[in-house]
Amino acid sequence: MNENDQNRTPLLDALYHHLLKGKGNFHVPGHKQGRAWSGREKESFQQVLSLDLTELPGLDDLHHAEGPIQEAQELAANLFGAEQTFFLVGGSTAGNLALVMSCCEEGDRIIIQRNSHQSVFNGCKLAGAKPIYISGRLREDRPSQRVEAADLEQVLSRFPDAKAVFLTSPDYYGECQPLAELAEVCHRYGIPLLVDEAHGAHLGLHPELPLSALIQGADAVVQSTHKMLPAMTMASMLHLQGTRIDRDKTAGWLRTLQSSSPSYPLMASLDVARRLAAIEGKEKIGQVLKWLEGLRKHIHQLTHLTVVSPEAESDPLKLLIRAKDRRVAGRRMLRWLAEKGSYLEMADHRHVLAVFSMGTTEKDVEILAAHLEEMNQAVQEMPEGPVIQPISFPLWSESRGTYKEVVNMPRKEVLLHQAKNQIAAEMVVPYPPGIPIVLPGEVFTEQAIRCIEHVYLQGGQVRGCALGSPLKVYVLQ
């Protein structure tokens, strides 16, 4: 196989070949390539259902890949700069879980960025690992935090037995960590740098985008190929390079964590997304960046809205907008735009976030520009919300036990406003973005309680609270 022939789609081609030669379907799944469906459902799904096959001769096996799936993974590894790539059908969640469990056993310490996705902490629960939380430094007027190399050095010097460092870059807002510097610190201590790059599968495909985590020296990277590249939802990849990660162990955990009946349409979409990124990515992303440059200039001219300008190390395909002179909740603006037919990715207490990709059209940008111009007037009539200060965390903190020990301790439900100074038994997570406000073993602070209340009152989803009303949370007895 020529790994440089990025025009190829070996897995999709194998599926097409099967369609041509197949005479009788006497295998699962039970819809028999869509023949069991009827009506509008069949009309909508038929082409995808015809590819929804199983491990038949010529179609390979994700968990023992040596045919077209393996070829597709090797093409992906070549494009993204990895030595080995695994396709994921359980989202980046499966990859994050597998990496933690590949690096840690019961009682092992692992250093985790405090605002990581909940799947990283769930990995600690499954592995029985003891997390050391590291917080980035707050920056004025920006919703993200930066982990400095000197801060990581300080934490590693205190916990030199840590098995790995797990960081998130870029974050939901598109802001990246200084990974080259952080990788150098990790490698001096002889441990791997693991990166949740769920929102960064496209990085490095255009010179105006930040460099990818692999290029900057990360040992293992998980990407949600469905987020910023055109794969189907859940379709993701895990990339490895170097010798600091046990590849056989990682493959073993992926077999344990992922379905033994993986979706062929999802895997084929990874094959297609990789080809599109390789062949058309630079040109299409460049065109979208030009349209966004014009959109940003347009927003800067509006009276009552402004855009948070991306920094040099942040992703320009993320557009962060807020009211200029008033404290209007982002979730209120999100609902207003949805009523107009523009559905943005997420909102927080001040901002709405729009996400663009190589699938964005010029018409899309024009529609959003028109709706923002309308909202520029409407925002004057929207009520102001309370001042929500960013929650401050110490530079580092250590869990009171292994993650598994804490979540299995006796617990009780209390009203949210009664939880102050009590120890959380469950992570409390606004979704999106899936970043915990409170982690098991941490104390509920007044600040955290106010933040949870604000998200809840603005109609946001908060996972980890008890069902029902009034709002209750779980604390240790």
Side-chain angles (χ1 to χ4, degrees):
M1 185 197 76
N2 182 1
E3 294 178 4
N4 294 315
D5 186 2
Q6 292 291 335
N7 266 306
R8 298 180 64 243
T9 50
L11 179 54
L12 183 64
D13 292 348
L15 292 171
Y16 285 158
H17 179 70
H18 180 85
L19 295 184
L20 290 174
K21 74 172 187 176
K23 303 298 182 184
N25 182 323
F26 309 106
H27 54 79
V28 296
H31 59 71
K32 300 295 182 181
Q33 294 177 272
R35 291 194 286 273
W37 291 37
S38 61
R40 63 177 185 177
E41 297 90 343
K42 182 169 184 174
E43 183 179 344
S44 298
F45 284 85
Q46 179 58 59
Q47 289 182 313
V48 173
L49 292 175
S50 69
L51 300 176
D52 188 21
L53 296 161
T54 188
E55 289 82 359
L56 302 172
L59 296 187
D60 208 357
D61 179 349
L62 176 64
H63 299 301
H64 188 69
E66 53 187 5
I69 294 176
Q70 180 59 19
E71 291 181 27
Q73 291 181 146
E74 288 172 357
L75 285 165
N78 178 264
L79 175 64
F80 294 107
E83 293 175 5
Q84 184 168 6
T85 290
F86 296 95
F87 281 2
L88 306 176
V89 292
S92 284
T93 292
N96 288 340
L97 294 172
L99 285 181
V100 175
M101 299 181 75
S102 297
C103 293
C104 296
E105 297 182 358
E106 190 83 31
D108 285 342
R109 287 190 173 97
I110 180 171
I111 296 169
I112 297 175
Q113 190 175 339
R114 175 60 183 68
N115 61 341
S116 292
H117 188 263
Q118 58 186 317
S119 58
V120 179
F121 303 107
N122 283 333
C124 292
K125 183 193 302 185
L126 293 175
K130 187 174 185 180
I132 309 298
Y133 307 126
I134 183 170
S135 300
R137 295 184 179 270
L138 289 169
R139 292 177 290 170
E140 186 176 354
D141 202 33
R142 304 195 77 84
S144 302
Q145 300 178 4
R146 181 181 174 92
V147 177
E148 300 290 351
D151 295 338
L152 179 59
E153 178 93 45
Q154 179 182 335
V155 176
L156 275 171
S157 65
R158 187 176 184 93
F159 300 101
D161 60 339
K163 300 299 183 182
V165 172
F166 211 137
L167 303 177
T168 299
S169 182
D171 63 13
Y172 217 120
Y173 298 99
E175 301 207 21
C176 299
Q177 299 296 335
L179 293 179
E181 300 171 25
L182 298 168
E184 192 275 330
V185 173
C186 291
H187 296 164
R188 273 196 284 109
Y189 281 83
I191 62 172
L193 173 61
L194 320 178
V195 178
D196 179 348
E197 199 176 40
H199 288 265
H202 62 305
L203 297 187
L205 295 179
H206 189 280
E208 293 182 35
L209 298 179
L211 296 176
S212 71
L214 283 171
I215 291 174
Q216 296 186 75
D219 299 274
V221 175
V222 180
Q223 296 174 339
S224 291
T225 320
H226 63 93
K227 283 186 166 69
M228 299 298 292
L229 288 179
M232 292 173 65
T233 297
M234 288 177 64
S236 304
M237 298 186 192
L238 188 160
H239 305 292
L240 300 178
Q241 65 179 352
T243 58
R244 296 181 183 89
I245 304 290
D246 187 323
R247 299 184 191 182
D248 290 337
K249 187 179 288 188
T250 301
W253 279 117
L254 288 175
R255 287 193 294 272
T256 302
L257 294 164
Q258 297 203 101
S259 171
S260 59
S261 302
S263 164
Y264 272 83
L266 289 186
M267 292 188 289
S269 80
L270 287 171
D271 202 15
V272 173
R274 182 270 313 153
R275 179 178 65 82
L276 291 172
I279 304 304
E280 304 177 24
K282 183 178 180 180
E283 180 182 354
K284 286 194 171 184
I285 289 171
Q287 185 62 70
V288 175
L289 290 172
K290 288 180 182 177
W291 298 332
L292 285 179
E293 183 180 0
L295 179 58
R296 285 189 169 92
K297 288 179 180 177
H298 177 75
I299 297 171
H300 278 303
Q301 294 171 356
L302 298 178
T303 310
H304 304 293
L305 294 176
T306 188
V307 60
V308 179
S309 298
E311 295 182 331
E313 68 273 22
S314 60
D315 181 5
L317 293 179
K318 298 287 184 79
L319 184 71
L320 197 59
I321 304 162
R322 62 177 172 84
K324 188 176 291 184
D325 301 315
R326 306 179 71 247
R327 295 191 309 274
V328 176
R331 290 178 182 86
R332 186 173 295 277
M333 292 188 285
L334 187 79
R335 290 195 297 272
W336 190 96
L337 288 165
E339 289 170 1
K340 294 291 181 179
S342 281
Y343 293 90
L344 275 62
E345 173 68 16
M346 63 161 283
D348 61 20
H349 67 289
R350 285 296 307 276
H351 309 89
V352 287
L353 177 70
V355 176
F356 303 84
S357 75
M358 58 185 288
T360 299
T361 67
E362 187 173 14
K363 183 65 174 177
D364 293 333
V365 178
E366 291 172 353
I367 289 171
L368 181 58
H371 287 162
L372 290 174
E373 193 156 349
E374 285 187 63
M375 192 171 74
N376 181 59
Q377 301 303 317
V379 76
Q380 299 176 81
E381 308 301 323
M382 295 180 186
E384 290 192 282
V387 177
I388 304 293
Q389 297 295 336
I391 301 177
S392 58
F393 298 100
L395 174 63
W396 66 268
S397 62
E398 185 175 10
S399 174
R400 297 176 182 231
T402 68
Y403 208 88
K404 186 186 297 185
E405 289 170 346
V406 174
V407 299
N408 287 328
M409 289 178 182
R411 61 178 61 191
K412 62 182 179 180
E413 292 180 12
V414 299
L415 294 170
L416 177 60
H417 72 270
Q418 296 175 337
K420 184 178 178 181
N421 296 329
Q422 298 203 58
I423 299 172
E426 231 9 285
M427 70 172 88
V428 181
V429 189
Y431 209 93
I435 306 302
I437 292 178
V438 181
L439 289 165
E442 290 187 329
V443 171
F444 278 97
T445 64
E446 182 68 34
Q447 232 182 353
I449 290 170
R450 284 203 306 269
C451 186
I452 295 166
E453 287 175 337
H454 178 76
V455 172
Y456 185 74
L457 291 173
Q458 290 296 324
Q461 294 183 344
V462 184
R463 299 180 182 177
C465 297
L467 296 176
S469 184
L471 200 58
K472 296 180 181 179
V473 292
Y474 299 101
V475 298
L476 298 182
Q477 287 186 356

